[in-house]
Amino acid sequence: MPAPRTRRTRAALAAGLAAALTAVAALVAPLVTAPPAVAAIDARALGARYDSSGSRITFRVYSSAATRMTVNVYAAPTGTGENASYLLTRDATGVFSTTVDVAALRAAGITGTVYYGYRAWGPNWPYSSTWTKGSSAGFVADVDAAGNRFNPNKLLLDPYAREISHDPLRPGMTTSTTYASGPAYRTTDSGPHAAKGIVLAATTPAFGTKPTRALKDDLVYEVHLRGLTRNDPSVPAAYRGTYRGAGMKAAYLASLGVTAVEFLPLQETQNDTIDVDPTGTAGDNYWGYMTLNYFAPDRRYAYDRSPGGPTREFQQMVKAYHDAGIKVLVDVVYNHTGEGGVYTAGGSNVYDIVSWRGLDNPTYYSLTADRQSSWDNTGVGGNYNTYNPVAQDLIVDSLAYWKNTLGVDGFRHDLASVLGNTCQHGCFNYHKTDPNTALNRITREMPPRPAGGGAGVDWIAEPWALGDGTYQVGNFPAGWSEWNGQYRDTLRRDQNKLGVAAITPGQLADRFAGSSDLYGDDGRRPWNSVNFMVAHDGLTLADLYACNAKNNNQAWPYGPSDGGSDDNNSWDHGGNAADQRRAARNGHAFLMLSAGTPMITGGDEVLRGIRCNNNPYNLDSSANWLGWSPTADQTTFRTFASRLAAFRHAHPALRPANFYSAADTNGNGMPQLSWFTPAGSAPDSAYWGNANNHALGWRIDGTEFGDPASAVYVGYNGWSGDVNFTLPSPGAGKQWYRVTDTASWAEGPNQVAVPGSEALIGGQGTNYLLRGRSLLLLVAR
C-alpha cells in the first residue's frame, strides 16, 4: 500500500515549553470527563441530522479535551467564508452540540444544501477573544504534553458526515500545506478550501433483499469499482467507472459463477487530484487506501455527484447485485486515515489537520509514548487508535451504517491486525481474545453470518501489516475469516519454485483441505480460510506465471509505481505462452477445488496482465482498468474458469462446513477424505514429509455431503515430467469420468466438460498418464 509520508522524525519540545503545556493541561483537566465505554451502535447520535420535520438541524461532535467548538455553515463548499457560525455546548460526556433552525440558515443565505465544518480550541491553543481567522491569538504550541493538536485556523471535517463536498486537494487547489501545522503553516486558514460535511436528510434503505448464503458457498470477485467498467464499451459512456455502471455488470459476474463482489475501498479518499495530471502518477491514489471519511460513499465513483446522489446511486448498485443473488463486500481501512503522518521535512510538529487530528488527536490516533508523534508500525503514516472506546464507536457506527443503510453484506478489513491492538500509545500488542479490542467488539455488535447461512455479516481480515507483531495469519478470533496468505505462498512456491523452495506433500494437503492447522484449533471452519492465488496487492494471475520479477518503473500507462514486494514467488515459464496459460489453469483450479472460500481478482477470468507491475496503486489508467476485448486464448480461459466455478457450486463435497474427516461415517468403505500417492497407496509419514515428492491425489466421498457425484478425485502433478496415476476406487459399481485435465494437450473451449459429457476413464486400478505440471479432476457415477 502507498505511504505518502513514511519517514518518521521527532523534534523535542524545550523543557520550559513542556512545563507550560503541562500546567495548561492541569488547568483544563477538571473540565474533562473520561468517555464511557459505550458498547452500542450510534449511542451518541453524532453527526449533523435533520429532525423528523426537517425544520431543525442538530450538530453533535465528540472531543475529550476541546475547550471550545464552533460549527461553521456554508452555502457553497469552496471559495467563500461561512454564512454563519454557532457555538456548541459541551455535555459531561464530551459531546459538543447545538440545534439550528433551518429558517435561521435560510435567513443567513443558505437556501439549498447545508455545508459545514468545525473549529476547535483546546489546551495547546486556548480560545482568545482577539482570535480571528488566520491569526495566532491564543496559540501556545502545535502539540502539548497530552498529544493535543488543536488549531482553530483549520476547518475540520466531521468524522460522522454522511457525504462530503470534495477532497482537501483537488484540481485548482493542490497546496497541501494549507492544512498543515508548524511555524510556517499554522496560521493559514483552511476554511475556504477544506472539505465540508453535507447535511443529508435521513436515508431510507433501498438496497433490495440481502442474500443469506453461507460464506462457504461463495466465490468472491475482488475488483476496483472504477476499473470494472471504466473501459467497458457495453456500458454507456457517462456511467463508466461509476456505481451505476458497476451495477450493470451484475449479470456478467453471475455468468462467471461469482456470488460475492468485493470492491476495493469505496469510502471517501483523497483521489480528486488524479485528474490534475491525467498521465501523471505523483501522489495519485487510485486504490483508495487513505480514507477521509468512514461514512461517505466516494463521490468520484458516482454519476450523480449532487448532494445525496452518491448515497442513492450506491444503494441502487447494491440492489442490482442483490437482485442477481450476489453479495456486496467492501474493503475498509480502519487501521489508519487519509490525514497522513508527519511531513518528511519540518519536524514532528508538522502534521496535516483535516478532521480527527484537530478534534481529538490522542483519542483517534495511537501516539508515541511522549504523545508528540504518530505511532506507526504499518508504514502508512500512523495507526488509528482502535483500542479507544470512542475511536471504536466510529468504526462500529460507520460499519453499521454501511450495513444497514447502504446494504453492504460484508467487509474485508485492511491491515486488520491493528484492530486487535490492546495498546493505545507507545506500543503495539495484538491480542486475540481481549473482549475490548475492536475485533471482538465489531462481531459482538454485529454478529457474523452463521456457518449454514442466514442473517449476519461476512467479516474478513487481511491478517498482517508491516511491523512486528502484526502478522497474525490463523490467529484471529471466532467470527472472523482471513485472507490465507499461507495458502497463496505454499501453492505459488510449489508451482513456481520447483527445486528451489521445499514444499512437502503434507503442506500441500493442509492447504487443499482447508488449512485446519491454522483454523481448526480455535473453533473456526475451513470456510474461514479465504483462499487466493493473487489479489489487487501484487501480480495478476497472468503475471504470476509470466514475470520473474516486478517491473514497476515503467512509463505511463503501466507505471511508474513505487513499492511492491520483491518476494513474489513468480516465474515466467521460460517465456512459453502455452505453459504460462497451463500454470494459470492450475492456479485457478486449486482455488475451485480446495476447501475454503475462494477469491479471484477482477480480470483473472481472462488472464489480465499489467506487464509485471505488482503495486499499481497509483495507476488510474487503461492498463489498470479491466479490458473487454478478449483474445481467443482469453475467451477460452474465461470458459475454463466459469465452468470450474459451476462445478464447484454443483458439488457440495468441495464446500465442507467442517473439516474433512478420515472416518467412514456412512459405512460405504470410503472416508470423507482419502489421500493417495500416484501409485494409489496411502502416503506414509516419509512421503508426507519429503519435499522431493511433487505429486498427490485425493478423493472426497460425495455421499457424505449429498453430492450428485458419489466421489470426486483430484490428481496433481507438480513435477516437470509426466507421472502415471493409479486411480483409487470410485465406489461400488461406479466408474471415473474426466471433468478436466489442465494439460496443454486438452486446451480449448471444452477443456472443462459440460455436465453429462465427461469422458469415461475407468474404475479402480486404471492408470492415467498426467502430464507435467498438470491437474486432473474426475467424478464418479
Side-chain angles (χ1 to χ4, degrees):
M1 286 178 50
R5 303 186 189 99
T6 58
R7 191 183 306 158
R8 297 188 292 268
T9 60
R10 295 186 182 182
L13 293 173
L17 178 57
L21 294 176
T22 301
V24 172
L27 291 172
V28 176
L31 303 176
V32 178
T33 302
V38 174
I41 294 173
D42 200 29
R44 291 188 176 87
L46 300 178
R49 311 189 191 196
Y50 284 97
D51 66 7
S52 58
S53 68
S55 62
R56 309 182 83 195
I57 299 173
T58 296
F59 299 89
R60 290 171 60 84
V61 62
Y62 175 87
S63 179
S64 65
T67 55
R68 180 183 175 90
M69 189 89 65
T70 63
V71 60
N72 290 11
V73 290
Y74 300 79
T78 62
T80 64
E82 68 273 14
N83 291 64
S85 178
Y86 301 94
L87 182 66
L88 280 66
T89 301
R90 185 187 190 281
D91 68 16
T93 70
V95 173
F96 289 77
S97 65
T98 190
T99 298
V100 180
D101 288 336
V102 171
L105 296 175
R106 301 293 181 253
I110 304 176
T111 58
T113 300
V114 179
Y115 302 95
Y116 72 101
Y118 297 109
R119 295 186 189 268
W121 291 257
N124 66 296
W125 196 318
Y127 175 70
S128 169
S129 60
T130 63
W131 176 85
T132 58
K133 289 179 290 184
S135 81
S136 60
F139 171 78
V140 177
D142 288 307
V143 59
D144 67 11
N148 295 306
R149 291 184 176 272
F150 295 103
N151 183 332
N153 290 313
K154 310 304 178 182
L155 189 76
L156 305 175
L157 178 63
D158 184 357
Y160 278 76
R162 278 6 187 207
E163 285 186 4
I164 71 174
S165 58
H166 58 276
D167 293 352
L169 303 179
R170 63 193 186 283
M173 209 316 256
T174 58
T175 307
S176 62
T177 54
T178 297
Y179 307 101
S181 57
Y185 317 118
R186 70 172 68 103
T187 58
T188 301
D189 176 27
S190 68
H193 310 286
K196 277 83 173 174
I198 295 174
V199 185
L200 293 183
T203 301
T204 301
F207 47 73
T209 302
K210 288 189 171 190
T212 59
R213 184 174 44 253
L215 187 60
K216 74 178 182 67
D217 296 326
D218 278 327
L219 168 57
V220 180
Y221 187 89
E222 187 209 31
V223 69
H224 191 284
L225 184 136
R226 178 171 166 84
L228 176 61
T229 64
R230 186 65 184 84
N231 200 30
D232 187 351
S234 73
V235 173
Y239 303 152
R240 294 173 194 168
T242 69
Y243 301 122
R244 187 164 181 174
M248 295 177 177
K249 302 307 294 184
Y252 170 76
L253 295 189
S255 75
L256 297 178
V258 170
T259 63
V261 59
E262 179 178 304
F263 289 115
L264 268 64
L266 298 178
Q267 295 168 333
E268 278 281 6
T269 188
Q270 175 62 65
N271 62 19
D272 282 356
T273 51
I274 287 176
D275 295 326
V276 173
D277 179 0
T279 62
T281 60
D284 283 0
N285 177 29
Y286 174 66
W287 279 352
Y289 287 91
M290 297 297 283
T291 310
L292 290 172
N293 179 277
Y294 288 128
F295 285 85
D298 199 319
R299 294 155 295 103
R300 193 165 186 265
Y301 303 146
Y303 164 71
D304 178 3
R305 299 185 184 182
S306 65
T311 299
R312 290 188 300 271
E313 192 174 322
F314 184 91
Q315 291 175 320
Q316 291 163 1
M317 177 196 72
V318 173
K319 184 178 186 301
Y321 281 105
H322 285 173
D323 289 349
I326 297 175
K327 295 176 183 175
V328 175
L329 313 180
V330 174
D331 197 336
V332 288
V333 187
Y334 291 108
N335 58 83
H336 71 285
T337 79
E339 212 161 15
V342 66
Y343 273 48
T344 54
S348 64
N349 288 339
V350 182
Y351 285 81
D352 281 339
I353 299 176
V354 174
S355 180
W356 304 273
R357 185 169 286 127
L359 286 169
D360 202 333
N361 188 47
T363 286
Y364 288 114
Y365 292 110
S366 289
L367 306 176
T368 51
D370 62 4
R371 309 293 178 93
Q372 301 304 289
S373 305
S374 298
W375 179 270
D376 181 10
N377 68 333
T378 61
V380 288
N383 291 6
Y384 188 77
N385 189 4
T386 64
Y387 203 58
N388 182 283
V390 172
Q392 278 185 16
D393 287 347
L394 178 56
I395 295 174
V396 171
D397 292 349
S398 59
L399 286 169
Y401 178 78
W402 284 79
K403 168 184 173 287
N404 298 329
T405 300
L406 299 181
V408 171
D409 303 286
F411 301 87
R412 179 266 189 188
H413 287 258
D414 179 67
L415 309 186
S417 53
V418 175
L419 297 174
N421 188 16
T422 60
C423 179
Q424 293 197 47
H425 303 299
C427 54
F428 181 91
N429 294 311
Y430 177 87
H431 200 285
K432 174 180 177 177
T433 59
D434 186 329
N436 297 314
T437 63
L439 283 176
N440 286 304
R441 182 175 168 196
I442 286 169
T443 54
R444 187 166 60 246
E445 303 280 2
M446 289 168 280
R449 196 180 311 280
V457 184
D458 296 315
W459 297 112
I460 301 171
E462 181 188 32
W464 54 73
L466 298 179
D468 292 341
T470 62
Y471 185 83
Q472 297 294 337
V473 174
N475 196 35
F476 271 65
W480 284 86
S481 298
E482 303 174 22
W483 276 19
N484 188 345
Q486 292 195 31
Y487 181 98
R488 172 199 61 195
D489 296 343
T490 298
L491 296 183
R492 282 189 181 190
R493 288 169 184 156
D494 189 75
Q495 279 193 286
N496 292 334
K497 298 296 181 181
L498 183 68
V500 177
I503 301 298
T504 69
Q507 290 172 301
L508 292 176
D510 282 341
R511 302 301 153 240
F512 289 137
S515 296
S516 62
D517 58 323
L518 299 176
Y519 307 109
D521 61 347
D522 54 12
R524 289 189 289 168
R525 314 285 184 85
W527 46 270
N528 290 127
S529 172
V530 177
N531 299 329
F532 67 107
M533 295 298 295
V534 299
H536 73 275
D537 194 356
L539 297 171
T540 67
L541 187 68
D543 285 351
L544 177 63
Y545 306 110
C547 306
N548 287 325
K550 70 181 184 183
N551 182 18
N552 296 356
N553 192 28
Q554 303 179 61
W556 179 268
Y558 290 91
S561 303
D562 58 0
S565 175
D566 294 319
D567 184 20
N568 297 290
N569 294 310
S570 61
W571 176 37
D572 74 350
H573 287 77
N576 186 300
D579 289 350
Q580 292 168 354
R581 293 194 302 271
R582 180 191 61 207
R585 289 193 294 271
N586 287 338
H588 190 81
F590 290 161
L591 294 174
M592 296 303 106
L593 301 175
S594 296
T597 303
M599 182 187 78
I600 66 174
T601 301
D604 282 354
E605 74 275 15
V606 291
L607 295 181
R608 177 180 73 100
I610 51 175
R611 299 185 185 178
C612 308
N613 188 332
N614 75 344
N615 196 41
Y617 70 93
N618 58 342
L619 299 181
D620 188 5
S621 74
S622 57
N624 220 9
W625 305 330
L626 270 60
W628 295 98
S629 300
T631 66
D633 286 335
Q634 289 178 315
T635 299
T636 295
F637 191 88
R638 185 170 61 194
T639 300
F640 173 88
S642 62
R643 287 189 183 180
L644 264 190
F647 183 87
R648 179 179 181 85
H649 291 316
H651 291 274
L654 299 173
R655 313 187 310 274
N658 299 295
F659 291 104
Y660 291 118
S661 168
D664 175 13
T665 59
N666 62 5
N668 67 349
M670 291 197 298
Q672 279 191 359
L673 176 65
S674 302
W675 299 100
F676 300 96
T677 68
S681 60
D684 58 18
S685 59
Y687 191 90
W688 280 126
N690 188 346
N692 291 317
N693 293 323
H694 299 288
L696 186 66
W698 65 99
R699 179 191 63 199
I700 306 170
D701 178 7
T703 65
E704 299 264 3
F705 302 93
D707 198 287
S710 59
V712 175
Y713 175 82
V714 181
Y716 170 56
N717 177 17
W719 284 103
S720 57
D722 302 344
V723 171
N724 186 69
F725 279 69
T726 301
L727 301 181
S729 170
K734 306 294 183 181
Q735 298 285 316
W736 289 116
Y737 292 81
R738 185 177 61 223
V739 177
T740 193
D741 183 328
T742 64
S744 295
W745 68 262
E747 186 174 16
N750 290 310
Q751 188 155 20
V752 178
V754 173
S757 68
E758 302 92 343
L760 173 64
I761 301 301
Q764 182 174 7
T766 298
N767 292 322
Y768 189 97
L769 185 66
L770 188 57
R771 301 297 185 183
R773 305 186 191 278
S774 298
L775 179 145
L776 172 68
L777 172 62
L778 306 174
V779 291
R781 64 171 186 263

